[in-house]
């Protein structure tokens, strides 16, 4: 198997996880890195032994001509970098949030489609092993046809120390974290035809909303609640666990604290520990997210080799982003919004 050579743009807080994970993806290796910030470029270059270091993404991509590019910058830069990759016919992974606006996101998908270039959004929460375990139970039909679901993330973990920009934006929790939870809801329950949202800011030290409660209508009778908060002081701090409840016509399922999966049917209840693996480079409590980074990057390489479209392709992610936009519109207007209007 030939090794696919990748280039990484953005050597910040989260990219370190992506670099560690690339070291474990069979048949792929990062051979060049780029950051505008010389200190960050040096730190990642030294830590991972990468000699090819660039301050400018275009120079790197033109010189290195990698087999793929991993864009690990924040959203404002995504459109220019994805369009650059498309223009050079380089398959791209782009971090979430995919884009600050739907117009940018549509343009990025269009640029890659017309260039025939694969594009995956690094939307990794649905790749968490506990969420995959929930999906397996649903697909096996054990609890029958679901009619109610809840995807819940409630915490007071200090995300701002690692990611200071999260305290500064006009938007916060729906755009940064709710986006993952809404994507998990789509993954488990299918697309939504309506969303009603309320948001609040509890922490006075930040600019955006840190609480959001969203009600989604899916196909048939299926209804879900997606709720997230960074203002919740729990007896046990659960960051970054996503809890899931699903009721079906033949049983129910709960993904509870500590990655405890309970499945109840008329035959009784069974419990399973679906804790993520603690990878050699991972650290608690982030190990859950860190494992999902490895799984999604492996998926991208498998898709590249097999000519398949990644599950979280740019086109797929437009639907998650539309839910985010619709949630903000609903919270601002007090109305129920059809996310298709945002597409
Ligand atoms: P960060 O600010 O720490 O790092 C971004 C880096 O990109 C910075 O070092 C910056 O200098 C560099 N950069 C920006 N524009 C550039 C350009 N045009 N060319 C070269 N370098 C450029 O941000 P972060 O916390 O690492 O977050 C990055 C992205 O990852 C965000 O979109 C964030 O939402 C996302 N994120 C995802 C997860 C997840 O689980 N999927 C977790 C955390 C963060
Ligand atoms: O996954 C993320 O996007 C992170 C965090 C878990 C802190 O919200 O920003």
């Amino acid at each position: 198997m030939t090794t696919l050579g990748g280039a990484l743009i953005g050597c910040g807080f989260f990219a370190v996880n992506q670099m560690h994970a690339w070291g474990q993806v069979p048949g792929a290796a990062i051979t060049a890195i780029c950051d505008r910030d010389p200190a960050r470029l040096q730190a990642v270059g030294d830590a991972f032994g990468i000699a090819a270091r660039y301050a400018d993404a275009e120079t790197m991509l033109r010189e290195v001509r990698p087999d793929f590019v991993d864009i690990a910058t924040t959203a404002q830069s995504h459109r220019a970098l994805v369009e650059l990759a498309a223009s050079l016919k380089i398959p791209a992974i782009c971090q979430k949030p995919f884009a600050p606006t739907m117009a940018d996101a549509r343009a990025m998908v269009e640029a890659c489609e017309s260039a025939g270039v694969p594009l995956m959004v690094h939307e990794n929460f649905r790749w968490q092993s506990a969420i995959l375990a929930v999906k397996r139970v649903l697909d096996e039909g054990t609890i029958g046809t679901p009619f109610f679901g809840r995807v819940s993330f409630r915490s007071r973990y200090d995300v701002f120390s690692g990611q200071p920009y999260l305290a500064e934006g006009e938007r916060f929790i729906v755009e940064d974290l709710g986006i993952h939870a809404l994507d998990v809801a789509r993954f488990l329950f299918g697309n939504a035809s309506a969303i009603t949202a309320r948001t609040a800011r509890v922490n006075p030290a930040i600019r955006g909303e840190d609480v959001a409660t969203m009600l989604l209508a899916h196909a048939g009778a299926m209804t879900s609640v997606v709720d997230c908060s960074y203002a919740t002081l729990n007896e046990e701090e659960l960051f970054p666990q996503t809890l899931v409840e699903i009721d079906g016509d033949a049983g129910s399922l709960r993904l509870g604290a500590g990655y405890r999966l309970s499945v109840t049917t008329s035959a009784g209840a069974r419990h399973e520990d679906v804790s993520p693996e603690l990878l050699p480079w991972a650290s608690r409590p982030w190990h859950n997210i860190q494992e999902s980074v490895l799984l999604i990057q492996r998926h991208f390489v498998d898709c590249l080799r097999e000519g398949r479209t990644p599950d979280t392709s740019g086109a797929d992610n437009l639907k998650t982003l539309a839910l985010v936009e619709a949630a903000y519109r609903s919270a601002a207007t007090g109305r129920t919004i059809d996310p298709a209007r945002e597409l």
Side-chain angles (χ1 to χ4, degrees), residues 13-14 95-97 122-125 128 153 157-160 163 165-166 172-173 175-180 230 239-240 286 289:
F13 170 77
F14 201 70
Q95 255 297 350
K96 52 60 65 177
H122 188 121
E123 178 43 78
N124 51 322
F125 269 39
Q128 291 175 9
F153 185 107
Y157 184 84
D158 175 20
V159 284
F160 310 109
Q163 298 166 263
Y165 57 89
L166 295 179
F172 169 39
I173 202 166
E175 184 179 78
D176 183 69
L177 187 277
I179 196 168
H180 289 305
Y230 272 123
F239 179 88
W286 286 85
I289 290 181

Side-chain angles (χ1 to χ4, degrees), residues 40-179:
R40 289 188 143 186
L41 187 62
Q42 182 178 352
V44 170
D46 291 356
F48 294 91
I50 311 285
R53 304 176 189 182
Y54 293 82
D56 178 66
E58 182 164 357
T59 308
M60 174 174 76
L61 295 185
R62 286 191 185 280
E63 280 185 24
V64 176
R65 293 278 164 177
D67 295 312
F68 66 91
V69 59
D70 189 6
I71 300 168
T73 59
T74 46
Q76 290 301 334
S77 55
H78 288 173
R79 179 171 175 179
L81 293 172
V82 166
E83 288 180 345
L84 172 66
S87 72
L88 298 171
K89 303 228 180 283
I90 299 171
I93 308 173
C94 180
Q95 255 297 350
K96 52 60 65 177
F98 186 36
T101 65
M102 285 303 299
D104 278 0
R106 277 192 298 269
M108 290 150 77
V109 169
E110 167 61 26
C112 288
E113 276 177 3
S114 43
V117 164
L119 170 64
M120 182 182 85
V121 179
H122 188 121
E123 178 43 78
N124 51 322
F125 269 39
R126 64 160 85 175
W127 284 94
Q128 291 175 9
S129 45
I131 300 296
L132 293 173
V134 167
K135 175 74 167 153
R136 270 195 302 275
V137 173
L138 269 186
D139 289 350
E140 282 160 11
T142 316
I143 64 164
T145 304
F147 57 86
F148 172 80
R150 179 175 176 209
V151 179
S152 178
F153 185 107
R154 311 194 76 78
S155 165
R156 200 180 276 192
Y157 184 84
D158 175 20
V159 284
F160 310 109
S161 56
Q163 298 166 263
Y165 57 89
L166 295 179
E168 293 156 12
E170 196 180 320
R171 292 175 165 191
F172 169 39
I173 202 166
V174 178
E175 184 179 78
D176 183 69
L177 187 277
I179 196 168

